[in-house]
Every structure is written in structure tokens, then in C-alpha cells.
Amino acid sequence: MSLFRKIFGATNPASEEEKDNEYGQFIPDADASLDEKFIYNFKKNGGKFLYCENITEVTDHFENILEENDWFESEALCYEPTLFSMLDENKIIYDKAQNPSFLLASCENLIADEGSVLFSSNQIKQKKPNELPVNIIIVASISQIIESKSDGLSVIKKKYLRDYPTNITTIKYFEKAAEENFTHYGSTAKNLYLLLLEDL
């Protein structure tokens, strides 16, 4: 496609077809890996994805997000002691936060076929998605990517043996839909950042 067509838009049907093919090449095929499928669907849903090779990069990206949104020395919702140090280092209040700017959490799994994030009471206690802050920062690893929700429930069953978590839910929409339809009914759009750590 020529530079002018890219800038000024296509003017004939052949150009439109070219454009469709151009976007079509980014759709993962049937043989795509789980992580490719997840990332494609997650970004299609409006999620912001940051790949991290190590813990240092997780910390760096986290601080960049805080800076971008002016969240330093603010309040956050966080229920996981393993993540408290990230908040402590940036002087963010999480103990009895009254007006949290964001939720910092891990997750149970990342669902590839719909690009969603699976949570349980371990991350969000008994809060419903609409009771969580609009802004969410998730720290997860590539090994947590699975194919479907039913796989996620199986993983939870194996992982916790007897003491199952409650409030198992997914968040799928990460930006407000331009046109609401029945697939969005009852869902709450979240501004979600995913710090995805390479652990394989």
C-alpha cells in the first residue's frame, strides 16, 4: 500500500481489500501458541500489555505506569502480601485505603481464547468487578496462560485441593465499548495493565 493511501485513506474497493488483508495477517492462526492467542485477544479487548524478562523489568514497568498516571504516593487496593513491597517502595498506601487509585493484584490464570483475566477471592476478596477500582495493574507470568475458563477451573481445583477460593470471576473488557451490545451486558470496563513475566 502506498504512503499516500496510508495517510489519506483508501479510495477504491481494491484498496479496502488490501487493508483487510493487512490487518488479517495479525490474527493468530489455528496453530498459534497460547501466549500469542492470549496477547492478541487481550489487546483486542483493550488491555495494555507489558512484557517483562525479569523482576527488575516488572518493577521498572510498574514505576513507569505510576509515573504515567501520577499515582506516586497515592492509595491502592491490594490484598496480597507478596506485592506489598512494590507499593512500599513507592510510598503507596494500601492498608485501609479510602480512595484507591488502582488495584494491584496477581491472578489465577490468563484465558487465551477470550483474552480475559481469571480472579478469585485470593486476589480480590469478595468484591465484584464493579466494586473494584477502574484502574487495575496485574502481575502475572506466561505459565499462567491457559486455553479456556474450564481449564482455569480445573487448575484451581488441582492447585488448592480442599481449600477452594471463592468469588471466581473473569474481567474481559478493558475499555468502554463504543456501542454497548448484549455481550457487554453486566460487564464493567476496566483500564487494565498486564505486567507479564517470562518464566518458561
Side-chain angles (χ1 to χ4, degrees), residues 74-126:
S74 64
E75 294 185 346
L77 196 62
C78 184
Y79 299 113
E80 299 169 79
T82 56
L83 299 175
F84 290 167
S85 64
M86 291 174 70
L87 298 170
D88 289 332
E89 287 166 16
N90 294 290
K91 298 182 178 151
I92 294 171
I93 298 163
Y94 53 88
D95 187 31
K96 298 177 183 167
Q98 298 298 308
N99 190 22
S101 300
F102 63 95
L103 165 72
L104 176 64
S106 65
C107 64
E108 292 297 337
N109 288 108
L110 302 168
I111 311 297
D113 69 355
E114 61 178 32
S116 64
V117 182
L118 181 68
F119 296 100
S120 76
S121 54
N122 290 329
Q123 294 86 36
I124 60 173
K125 299 296 182 194
Q126 298 306 317

Side-chain angles (χ1 to χ4, degrees), residues 13-96:
S15 297
E16 286 298 328
E17 193 176 305
E18 253 180 64
K19 187 176 173 186
D20 289 342
N21 290 338
E22 191 177 311
Y23 289 118
Q25 71 186 356
F26 298 111
I27 298 171
D29 58 25
D31 299 328
S33 65
L34 275 181
D35 52 333
E36 289 174 322
K37 195 187 295 187
F38 169 75
I39 291 164
Y40 173 80
N41 289 325
F42 177 79
K43 289 175 85 173
K44 190 173 80 172
N45 292 341
K48 297 175 183 81
F49 160 79
L50 296 159
Y51 174 78
C52 309
E53 285 189 3
N54 51 50
I55 295 296
T56 304
E57 285 191 6
V58 171
T59 305
D60 291 345
H61 284 314
F62 178 65
E63 288 175 1
N64 291 338
I65 293 167
L66 297 180
E67 188 174 347
E68 177 187 319
N69 294 283
D70 195 22
W71 289 337
F72 284 108
E73 299 184 23
S74 64
E75 294 185 346
L77 196 62
C78 184
Y79 299 113
E80 299 169 79
T82 56
L83 299 175
F84 290 167
S85 64
M86 291 174 70
L87 298 170
D88 289 332
E89 287 166 16
N90 294 290
K91 298 182 178 151
I92 294 171
I93 298 163
Y94 53 88
D95 187 31
K96 298 177 183 167

Side-chain angles (χ1 to χ4, degrees), residues 3 13 21 26 32 74 79 94 124 130 137 139 163 180 189-190:
L3 178 63
N21 290 338
F26 298 111
S74 64
Y79 299 113
Y94 53 88
I124 60 173
N130 64 334
I137 303 172
V139 180
D163 196 15
E180 297 282 331
K190 300 293 182 184

